[in-house]
Every structure is written in C-alpha cells, then in structure tokens.
C-alpha cells in the first residue's frame, strides 16, 4: 500500500482524480462548500461492506486543500480497518473541515456541515476528532440523526476520548507484555506526545500505574496544567524521538514515525492514539521490525472511541463498552504473536485480519 504524499504540482500534472496516492478504492468522496458560513469540508466514505461508514470530523488549518484531501482519504481508510479488526459492523469514513477551529468554527458552520452529512442518508455517521468538541456534535445533531459522540444529557455516549485512552492503555500493556514478558508499566519511562483529550487521560492512567511519564506538546499552557495535575515531567529538549525511554506514545497528529525520526528512536515499544502513525506503512513498519521495536498498530489500539460511539447506534451500555475496549489487550497480543510467527509486521498482520473479515462479509452477500 502506498501512502506517500505527492506534491501539489505532481498531483495536478500526473494524477487523475482516482490516481491520488491516498485513494485506495474509496467508494465516495464528497466536497462540501458554503460561502455564507465559510465551510469547506470533505467527507470520505472508504468502505461500507460491514455497515455504515463511521468516523470523526477533523477540523484543521491545512496548508493546502490537497493536504486536506489526502488526510481524509488516509483517515477514512484507517476507519474501515479499525472497525473491521474490532469486530464492529461498521464501515470506514471520515470528514475534514478546512480551517482553524479557533478562528472559523461557529454553530452555523457546524449546522451547515451537518446538513451535508444528512444528504448522505446514513451512509456516513460523523463524530468528533481533532478540533471538535462534544458540543459541536450536539449542534450537528440539530440537523441530522447521523451523528454520534453527542452529550450524555442528550442521549449520547458522551466524549469518546477517555475510552480511546483506556483502549490505548490496554494496547500499550499488551505490547509491554510482548516486549518485556510482563505488562506492568510501573517504572517504565513513557514519552507521551500530545496531551489533548486522549493524551491527558493516558498520562493519568500510566502515572497512576507508577510509570514515569514525560510529556510533550506545542501548547505550553496544557503542558503546565497536565504536569501540575499529575506530577509528570515536561520534555524540554529539541528531539523527543531521540530521548532514552521504554515506550513512545504518539497522541498528537499522524506520520511521526517517518524517515527522519525512525533512526533516532531508542524506545522498545510504540503504542499511542494518533491515527496513521507510520508515514509509510510498509517502509516504516518494516524498519521498526528490523530495529526490534514493538509497534502496536494504531488503528487497533485506538478503537476505544469508535466502540464508545458505536454504542449509540447499537444501544449497548457502559459495561459492554468497557469489556469490548479491554479486549483490545487480547487482540493486540494475538496480533503481535501472529506477526512474529509469520515474520510480518504487526501492521500487516492486523490489516490482513481486518481484510479477511471484510472479504468474508462481501462474499457472503454476493
Ligand atoms: P486533541 O486535539 O484533543 O489533542 C491533540 C494534542 O496534540 C493537542 O494538545 C495539541 O496541542 C497537540 N499537538 C498538535 N501538534 C503537535 C505536535 N506537533 N507536537 C506535539 N503536540 C502536538 O486530539 P485528541 O482527541 O486527543 O486525539 C489525539 C490523536 O488521537 C489524534 O491523532 C486523533 O486522530 C487520534 N484519535 C483520537 C480519538 C478520540 O477519541 N479523541 C480516537 C481515535 C484516534
């Protein structure tokens, strides 16, 4: 699978629309624009064989529209495999809204976005992602039922981030068990990059277990807050990736395991919440394997959030959410063992299980 990003000029000159490198048999891509509210959004529906495509909306100040398109293509594809590996009857989709949420996000813009989601008639369900709050989903809910992650007071399952963090914590423990022979995080030095909704909760869980946590973020205020709340250390150097530690938890944006960082990494385990952590699944997955770094596939261990929002569609409760999220531990360990036994990367092992599930469903409905 190819995941490099072409330059805008290359894309314009050489690649027809479906030749975009991040296009991977996506079923539908919808461009949404509304000048009155300043909305520019793209909804990507990757695959609906297992069920309606579900995935959050990311609002981000992308440098170019090509970056936004690539992001939604990559993220929506990831959601297909996340739902499949987690055993949910959901397809993969995602949306991006172009712009700085602090500057352009208004209830009007969110409603207009919701109206576009509604036009898909339930083929795509949205939820929160980076740059979104539960209250934004409540606003979208005013114009469409095809939204999850709404407030508990409004009948939803609430903010999915704590559940995502719990799943990442479970996946991290499983990866530690695989790497060190036991899953205790006490005494382990953990680098948490990005201490937003998910990262902060992961910091709480890991430090409560006695891990020594080092935090990094571009938001200095958050760093002080989280450091004071949990008594964890703030990373002050200029290359987090080169830091000596046991575990690296990417919880900011994707592609932080890349050509530049991979040779610096000294950790034994990578387990975090960010989507698409490997800039290139094949190249960087294989390099990690060669370096002996245990990689817990992101789309597997960050599935807590989707489990949480799926509860809204299926109507199951807190206990089932917890049990399904805890099961990420077993799945992660199974996949790491399978990868070792078959000498493939953990990412490839997880993908092949997810692809088998989709293919089986497709064949059964033919
Ligand atoms: P968030 O926006 O709340 O937090 C992201 C944090 O990363 C912010 O504090 C931000 O300042 C920081 N950050 C941004 N760029 C950075 C950089 N270059 N270096 C260091 N820090 C940086 O987002 P979130 O909801 O916590 O999600 C974190 C990641 O997990 C995202 O990649 C998201 O797609 C993924 N994820 C989230 C969920 C969920 O339930 N929220 C579910 C699955 C996956």
């Amino acid at each position: 699978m190819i995941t490099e990003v072409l330059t805008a000029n290359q894309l314009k000159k050489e690649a027809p629309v479906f030749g975009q490198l991040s296009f991977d048999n996506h079923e539908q891509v919808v461009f949404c624009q509304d000048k009155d509210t300043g909305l520019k959004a793209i909804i990507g529906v990757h695959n609906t064989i297992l069920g309606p495509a579900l995935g959050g909306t990311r609002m981000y100040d992308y440098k170019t529209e090509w970056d936004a398109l690539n992001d939604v293509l990559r993220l929506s594809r990831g959601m297909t495999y996340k739902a499949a590996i987690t055993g949910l009857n959901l397809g993969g989709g995602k949306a991006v809204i172009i712009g700085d949420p602090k500057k352009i996000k208004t209830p009007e813009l969110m409603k207009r976005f919701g109206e576009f989601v509604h036009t898909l008639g339930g083929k795509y369900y949205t939820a929160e992602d980076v740059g979104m709050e539960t209250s934004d989903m409540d606003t979208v809910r005013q114009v469409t039922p095809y939204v999850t992650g709404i407030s508990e007071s409004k009948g939803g399952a609430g903010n999915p981030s704590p559940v995502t963090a719990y799943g990442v914590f479970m996946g991290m423990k499983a990866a530690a068990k695989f790497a060190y022979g036991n899953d205790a995080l006490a005494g382990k030095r953990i680098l948490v990059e990005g201490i937003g909704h998910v990262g902060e909760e992961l910091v709480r869980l890991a430090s409560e277990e006695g891990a020594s946590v080092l935090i990094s973020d571009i938001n200095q205020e958050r760093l002080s807050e989280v450091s004071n709340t949990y008594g964890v250390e703030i990373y002050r150097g200029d290359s987090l990736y080169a830091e000596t530690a046991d575990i690296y938890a990417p919880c900011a944006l994707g592609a932080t395991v890349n050509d530049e960082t991979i040779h610096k990494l000294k950790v034994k385990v990578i387990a975090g919440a960010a989507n698409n952590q490997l800039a290139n699944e094949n190249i960087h997955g294989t390099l990690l394997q060669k370096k002996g770094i245990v990689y817990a596939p992101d789309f597997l261990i960050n599935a807590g959030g989707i489990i949480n929002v799926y509860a809204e569609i299926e109507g199951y409760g807190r206990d089932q959410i917890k049990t399904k999220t805890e099961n990420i531990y077993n799945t992660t360990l199974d996949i790491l063992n399978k990868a070792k036994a078959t000498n493939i990367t953990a990412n490839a092992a997880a993908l092949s299980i997810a692809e088998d599930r989709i293919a089986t469903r497709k064949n059964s409905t033919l």
Side-chain angles (χ1 to χ4, degrees):
M1 253 146 285
I2 313 165
T3 47
E4 294 99 327
V5 178
L6 278 182
T7 65
N9 276 344
Q10 278 173 309
L11 284 167
K12 274 184 214 147
K13 280 192 197 148
E14 295 164 18
V17 174
F18 296 103
Q20 293 264 358
L21 283 182
S22 300
F23 246 105
D24 183 29
N25 206 18
H26 286 69
E27 288 178 15
Q28 196 173 4
V29 178
V30 184
F31 292 84
C32 319
Q33 186 172 24
D34 179 61
K35 287 210 163 135
D36 292 345
T37 57
L39 175 74
K40 265 192 190 174
I42 313 173
I43 300 171
V45 175
H46 177 250
N47 189 293
T48 55
I49 290 173
L50 294 176
L54 189 147
T57 296
R58 175 171 294 188
M59 189 164 189
Y60 189 73
D61 198 9
Y62 291 98
K63 277 202 189 119
T64 71
E65 291 174 3
W66 291 113
D67 289 344
L69 177 58
N70 265 305
D71 210 25
V72 79
L73 291 172
R74 273 163 63 90
L75 290 166
S76 54
R77 172 180 172 275
M79 292 307 293
T80 297
Y81 296 121
K82 188 184 305 200
I85 194 91
T86 312
L88 307 178
N89 291 321
L90 287 176
K94 202 90 182 180
V96 293
I97 299 179
I98 301 170
D100 182 345
K102 288 199 189 90
K103 293 188 184 146
I104 70 156
K105 190 165 65 177
T106 57
E108 292 69 35
L109 179 142
M110 290 310 303
K111 272 192 216 160
R112 195 67 194 98
F113 171 68
E115 285 165 3
F116 280 109
V117 170
H118 194 70
T119 62
L120 290 172
K123 188 173 191 180
Y124 168 67
Y125 279 71
T126 197
E128 352 166 16
D129 191 64
V130 174
M132 287 288 137
E133 304 294 332
T134 306
S135 57
D136 296 316
M137 295 305 111
D138 293 345
T139 305
V140 171
R141 181 67 185 84
Q142 291 174 26
V143 295
T144 181
Y146 306 125
V147 53
T148 56
I150 55 175
S151 306
E152 289 182 87
S153 62
K154 294 193 162 49
N159 179 4
S161 305
V163 187
T164 301
Y166 185 55
V168 171
F169 181 65
M170 285 292 135
M172 184 184 279
K173 283 175 81 62
K177 166 108 180 142
F178 184 82
Y180 299 104
N182 75 73
D183 65 14
L185 298 180
K188 296 271 180 308
R189 187 166 163 83
I190 304 177
L191 310 174
V192 180
E193 180 185 42
I195 41 157
H197 292 106
V198 181
E200 177 178 357
E201 179 66 7
L202 184 64
V203 168
R204 184 183 74 78
L205 292 166
S207 38
E208 272 179 14
E209 191 168 312
S212 151
V213 180
L214 198 57
I215 54 173
S216 150
D217 203 292
I218 48 172
N219 183 334
Q220 298 304 317
E221 246 174 76
R222 293 274 311 149
L223 281 172
S224 311
E225 258 172 45
V226 172
S227 169
N228 290 336
T229 309
Y230 306 101
V232 294
E233 195 187 336
I234 298 174
Y235 177 69
R236 307 268 180 203
D238 57 8
S239 182
L240 178 75
Y241 311 104
E243 187 67 15
T244 302
D246 299 292
I247 300 172
Y248 163 49
C251 296
L253 297 178
T256 56
V257 179
N258 55 42
D259 289 344
E260 236 180 78
T261 59
I262 200 158
H263 300 291
K264 298 181 183 166
L265 287 169
K266 294 185 188 136
V267 293
K268 186 100 181 121
V269 169
I270 299 178
N275 288 306
N276 301 326
Q277 290 164 25
L278 307 180
N280 180 305
E281 288 170 2
N282 288 339
I283 296 173
H284 302 115
T286 307
L287 275 174
L288 287 180
Q289 191 188 15
K290 283 194 183 142
K291 277 176 72 101
I293 296 178
V294 177
Y295 172 66
D298 48 12
F299 65 92
L300 164 65
I301 72 166
N302 72 11
I306 197 178
I307 293 171
N308 192 64
V309 295
Y310 185 57
E312 281 178 37
I313 301 176
E314 288 293 298
Y316 58 72
R318 284 277 138 215
D319 288 351
Q320 267 174 290
I321 292 174
K322 189 155 189 253
T323 312
K324 276 184 194 290
T325 307
E326 261 161 11
N327 198 40
I328 288 175
Y329 181 101
N330 296 327
T331 316
T332 305
L333 212 44
D334 285 351
I335 280 164
L336 292 173
N337 283 319
K338 179 181 171 188
K340 188 179 178 189
T342 50
N343 196 26
I344 58 173
T345 68
N347 205 71
L351 274 181
S352 85
I353 293 172
E355 276 166 351
D356 283 352
R357 184 165 174 246
I358 296 167
T360 305
R361 178 72 61 86
K362 188 176 179 186
N363 293 336
S364 73
T365 51
L366 283 178

